[in-house]
Amino acid sequence: MRTTWIATGVSVVAGVVAVSVLLSVPVPTGRTTPEPLVRATPSATSTPLVDQPWYRTSLPVDGDLVSIGAHTVGHVTVTRTGEQAIRVTITGFDTDLAEADMRVQLTGGDVVPAGRRAEWIPLGDPVEVGVISHDATGAVIDVRVPQILPPAVHSLLVLDWNTATIMGGAELLPAR
């Protein structure tokens, strides 16, 4: 048994010596260690986009409000207004609901056309960002803490304040 341990120890030492010798052999570049096949040389000033939040890399976005639960139309634009702020602008807003204010939510879900109306496909938890007055034709909502938003926002929803029924939504795509 002891002979086996000594032989194993000698083999390990020999392997370490062999690797050390191979690593110290000069290669054509003149370096003592080979260069990697793929270099990771990001610019000193750039930050990878995957580490950046949605509100810093994907804005501006916009889309048309379409009916989901009731006649609802308008246009939505989401822009970045500062390092830690975004603005949601809704114009040309009209809906059949005239008695209650509307909740405005940003969500990772999708608004997909489904015949005369659209359908909202949920993904994650929507985040309420503001309110549209029941008699308004538009709204400007400033979001000063965009870190609360989902990791990726794909749509905006408008809901009845009292019943939380989804009235309409807009699929948000890169603005042209």
Side-chain angles (χ1 to χ4, degrees):
M1 181 72 170
R2 183 177 178 139
T3 307
T4 304
W5 282 105
I6 291 173
T8 302
V10 169
S11 297
V12 170
V13 170
V16 170
V17 169
V19 169
S20 298
V21 168
L22 286 174
L23 289 177
S24 67
V25 173
V27 291
T29 61
R31 295 176 40 157
T32 58
T33 57
E35 293 186 40
L37 295 176
V38 179
R39 277 195 189 182
T41 55
S43 168
T45 59
S46 70
T47 305
L49 292 179
V50 293
D51 293 333
Q52 295 291 315
W54 167 84
Y55 63 89
R56 288 196 180 157
T57 60
S58 299
L59 297 178
V61 294
D62 69 350
D64 290 323
L65 276 168
V66 292
S67 302
I68 296 177
H71 168 76
T72 304
V73 295
H75 186 77
V76 177
T77 304
V78 182
T79 57
R80 190 169 151 202
T81 58
E83 271 303 304
Q84 300 290 327
I86 66 170
R87 175 170 286 159
V88 177
T89 305
I90 301 172
T91 57
F93 181 74
D94 184 45
T95 186
D96 286 344
L97 183 67
E99 310 81 49
D101 292 346
M102 263 60 67
R103 299 174 186 211
V104 177
Q105 296 180 343
L106 291 173
T107 173
D110 292 307
V111 174
V112 180
R116 294 180 129 179
R117 299 196 185 277
E119 181 180 342
W120 177 59
I121 311 294
L123 178 65
D125 294 328
V127 175
E128 193 160 315
V129 294
V131 175
I132 299 175
S133 176
H134 70 280
D135 57 351
T137 60
V140 175
I141 302 166
D142 288 320
V143 181
R144 303 252 184 244
V145 188
Q147 300 87 340
I148 65 171
L149 297 175
V153 171
H154 295 177
S155 61
L156 176 136
L157 298 176
V158 177
L159 294 83
D160 178 320
W161 181 267
N162 296 324
T163 66
T165 300
I166 299 173
M167 306 300 290
E171 188 72 14
L172 299 175
L173 301 171
R176 297 177 195 188

